[in-house]
Amino acid sequence: MTPTGIRLRHLSFHGPYRMPVTIDFGPGLNIIYGASNTGKSFVLDTVDFMLGGRGPLRDIPERVGYDRILLAIETIDRREFTLARSTEGGAFTAYDGLFSGSLPEGEGQVLAEQHSERRGDNLSTFLLSQLGLTHRQIRRNKRGDLQSLSFRNIARMVDSWRFRKWSTERRQIVVAWFSSGWRRAAIV
């Protein structure tokens, strides 16, 4: 199986009367650090929001005047795309290519914010397709009941400091470290 994954490239804020503000992410581990109340948690909340987390974003003074957010992403096999979303939440728009300093032109692909395994026009299915994980199921409980895999299942695991994935012949195993310890999920 070919390795899959995504890499965040840029997170940018745009507004009609404000200069764009961009945070660039480098390859490998990126550490966001600074003094208290400088926006570290807000950056992490915004990444989560752009990967399907519920909105709207918190109001902080630095966000005033910005109404659009772009998250530029590259896959391991070098496919590039940018997700755009209102700071108030709602649907996403996916554009081919990496954008940060200016808003993309054109219509892009509109993606609903709510996951649906039956429809392909939502953010979760779009991101899962970039990872080769569409139409998969994940174990929901100790009894072994299954549910449709959504990108939010993965996002919750990646919101940790360690993430490992390996494949067996029939399924993928994802293991992540949480503050409470290791958790394992089998993706069928």
Side-chain angles (χ1 to χ4, degrees):
M1 174 176 255
T2 305
T4 59
I6 59 173
R7 180 181 143 208
L8 305 182
R9 296 290 304 274
H10 313 285
L11 176 68
S12 58
F13 295 83
H14 298 262
Y17 307 108
R18 301 286 307 259
M19 293 294 294
V21 174
T22 300
I23 299 164
D24 295 318
F25 299 102
L29 177 66
N30 287 261
I31 298 174
I32 300 172
Y33 66 95
S36 295
N37 296 317
T38 58
K40 300 176 301 295
S41 294
F42 183 75
V43 170
L44 295 176
D45 291 346
T46 303
V47 169
D48 183 61
F49 175 72
M50 291 303 293
L51 293 175
R54 299 260 180 222
L57 281 175
R58 287 184 287 140
D59 281 326
I60 62 171
E62 295 81 3
R63 194 189 76 131
V64 172
Y66 293 104
D67 60 358
R68 302 289 300 161
I69 304 169
L70 301 180
L71 181 63
I73 299 173
E74 178 181 27
T75 65
I76 296 287
D77 59 355
R78 304 264 186 230
R79 287 174 286 156
E80 299 174 338
F81 59 94
T82 299
L83 301 173
R85 191 180 195 192
S86 165
T87 56
E88 297 302 312
F92 296 82
T93 306
Y95 298 92
D96 288 331
L98 300 177
F99 295 90
S100 62
S102 62
L103 292 171
E105 294 181 14
E107 293 184 25
Q109 179 184 355
V110 177
L111 302 168
E113 63 182 323
Q114 185 68 39
H115 172 75
S116 171
E117 67 180 308
R118 294 182 181 101
R119 298 185 55 164
D121 63 348
N122 61 80
L123 179 71
S124 179
T125 302
F126 175 82
L127 292 172
L128 289 172
S129 72
Q130 301 299 315
L131 297 169
L133 293 174
T134 54
H135 308 294
R136 302 290 179 96
Q137 294 184 314
I138 189 167
R139 194 172 68 181
R140 184 175 58 179
N141 55 35
K142 289 182 180 181
R143 290 190 318 243
D145 296 335
L146 299 175
Q147 70 182 37
S148 171
L149 176 68
S150 79
F151 190 78
R152 296 304 303 162
N153 297 124
I154 296 171
R156 283 188 280 279
M157 285 192 280
V158 175
D159 187 21
S160 60
W161 66 279
R162 290 187 188 188
F163 178 68
R164 296 181 185 168
K165 178 181 127 186
W166 66 90
S167 297
T168 65
E169 187 175 318
R170 301 198 60 171
R171 63 183 178 178
Q172 295 176 334
I173 308 295
V174 178
V175 178
W177 172 261
F178 293 87
S179 57
S180 60
W182 286 100
R183 295 288 185 261
R184 177 178 166 180
I187 301 173
V188 182

